[in-house]
Amino acid sequence: MVKHSSVKLQYTEEKPVQLFPQLFYQQPRVLAPERQDVLTITPWLAPIVWEGTFNSEILDGVYGPLNLTIGVTAFAVGTYTRFVGRFLESAEKHFMKGYQVNYYIFTDNPETIPNVQLQPGRRSVIVPIKKYPSWQEISMHRMEAINKHIAETSHQEVDYLFCLEIDMVFYNSWGPETLGDIVAAIHPGYFNVPRSQFPYERRSSSAAYIPDGEGDFYYGGAVFGGLVKKVYEFTRTCHMTILTDKANEIMAACQEESHLNRHFLSHKPSKVLSPEYLWDDRKPKPPEIHLIRFSTVDKNYKEIRD
């Protein structure tokens, strides 16, 4: 008969259990959702983020201990450098407060980028890019530039990456409720219209083609993001489909935004941001939009693009 000695089992990398801090909040009610006026989940079970659908304190308790760094890319090209100061100043008030943030400002005019005072743990990095003759060319190369920067630099520096447009301003909190594998935002101009009115690319010769009768939402190209690895894969795919169109002498109806929508039709986003996160200052606020978090500033497009 073999005698077994008493052995204490122990993992080789045993760590002390970290308990969540005690949180007191109103119990979620299964039969009484906070929002009944809007769609809060997609048919593929991705959450649609609206005010009233999340508890920021709980989310900070989940994501805060992870010591995350969030990256932001924004392109300040040509006359668009005028928007950098307001973008960064508003982001410092509202974007991912309490988290480490790297702002990657892609520009063809580094000497004109203002020096904005940032909070500890947050930094602004200027990424020089070549000058292009038109805004259409700039748009065409945006996915390529982001993809290259992730491969060379930002994959080692950030956990999540949001790709935002610079001519926008933060008006209210943008926090960890936006984090997900791959995140898209519903365009403010098309959230309440049938998909037959979406400005999808309808030419079958384009790699961005979406046939009539297909489509979920119309997503805006001004906001997308997710885990840095997923954003790398997404931007690589979009860059390749843009190159395919270019080889066939085609420019999609809404340039890179058309390719973004084509991609998200077949590769569904894991989280969808409501138009709160992509509004337009020229539009009146409807009752469904309880607050505006991030919005395009009113401007003269002809002046800044010529």
Side-chain angles (χ1 to χ4, degrees), residues 251-305:
M251 180 172 284
C254 297
Q255 291 83 46
E256 65 171 14
E257 190 172 81
S258 297
H259 292 272
L260 175 147
N261 274 278
R262 171 61 258 188
H263 181 88
F264 284 142
L265 176 59
S266 52
H267 302 78
K268 309 292 192 193
S270 63
K271 182 172 285 186
V272 176
L273 304 182
S274 72
E276 295 172 4
Y277 296 86
L278 176 52
W279 197 246
D280 187 328
D281 277 1
R282 297 167 297 180
K283 294 175 66 66
K285 185 168 74 70
E288 299 83 13
I289 305 295
H290 290 185
L291 80 171
I292 295 167
R293 300 176 189 277
F294 189 52
S295 183
T296 304
V297 299
D298 195 6
K299 55 194 170 293
N300 184 334
Y301 279 99
K302 188 176 189 305
E303 176 199 349
I304 60 178
R305 286 180 172 177

Side-chain angles (χ1 to χ4, degrees), residues 134-271:
S134 67
W135 68 267
Q136 291 95 336
E137 280 287 313
I138 296 166
S139 175
M140 186 175 292
H141 289 278
R142 180 177 170 226
M143 294 290 186
E144 176 187 20
I146 294 170
N147 186 257
K148 182 181 178 185
H149 189 263
I150 293 172
E152 294 177 353
T153 305
S154 54
H155 79 279
Q156 298 174 316
E157 298 179 344
V158 302
D159 302 288
Y160 291 86
L161 185 68
F162 284 101
C163 305
L164 310 176
E165 289 196 353
I166 198 75
D167 55 337
M168 302 188 72
V169 172
F170 293 89
Y171 290 120
N172 282 288
S173 174
W174 175 313
E177 75 278 0
T178 61
L179 299 179
D181 282 4
I182 191 74
V183 180
I186 297 174
H187 194 291
Y190 303 98
F191 74 97
N192 59 350
V193 301
R195 62 186 173 192
S196 60
Q197 296 180 29
F198 292 170
Y200 287 151
E201 173 55 63
R202 299 300 189 184
R203 293 171 293 174
S204 59
S205 54
S206 171
Y209 170 59
I210 296 177
D212 288 336
E214 293 190 27
D216 302 305
F217 308 105
Y218 189 78
Y219 302 107
V223 172
F224 61 88
L227 286 168
V228 67
K229 177 186 175 183
K230 296 292 185 180
V231 177
Y232 173 80
E233 294 168 355
F234 165 73
T235 53
R236 180 182 60 186
T237 301
C238 283
H239 174 51
M240 296 307 294
T241 58
I242 290 169
L243 288 181
T244 300
D245 270 8
K246 187 176 181 181
N248 293 321
E249 300 183 338
I250 298 171
M251 180 172 284
C254 297
Q255 291 83 46
E256 65 171 14
E257 190 172 81
S258 297
H259 292 272
L260 175 147
N261 274 278
R262 171 61 258 188
H263 181 88
F264 284 142
L265 176 59
S266 52
H267 302 78
K268 309 292 192 193
S270 63
K271 182 172 285 186

Side-chain angles (χ1 to χ4, degrees), residues 20-21 23 54-68 96-99 173-177 179:
F20 281 114
L23 294 176
F54 61 90
N55 183 309
S56 296
E57 190 178 1
I58 296 174
L59 290 171
D60 281 331
V62 173
Y63 288 101
L66 301 181
N67 194 32
L68 299 173
M96 301 301 297
K97 291 182 70 172
Y99 293 81
S173 174
W174 175 313
E177 75 278 0
L179 299 179

Side-chain angles (χ1 to χ4, degrees), residues 109-146:
N109 205 355
E111 61 276 10
T112 64
I113 302 299
N115 184 24
V116 175
Q117 185 69 38
L118 305 180
Q119 299 167 41
R122 299 160 77 101
R123 65 191 183 105
S124 178
V125 180
I126 293 176
V127 183
I129 59 172
K130 65 176 288 189
K131 290 183 183 291
Y132 290 102
S134 67
W135 68 267
Q136 291 95 336
E137 280 287 313
I138 296 166
S139 175
M140 186 175 292
H141 289 278
R142 180 177 170 226
M143 294 290 186
E144 176 187 20
I146 294 170

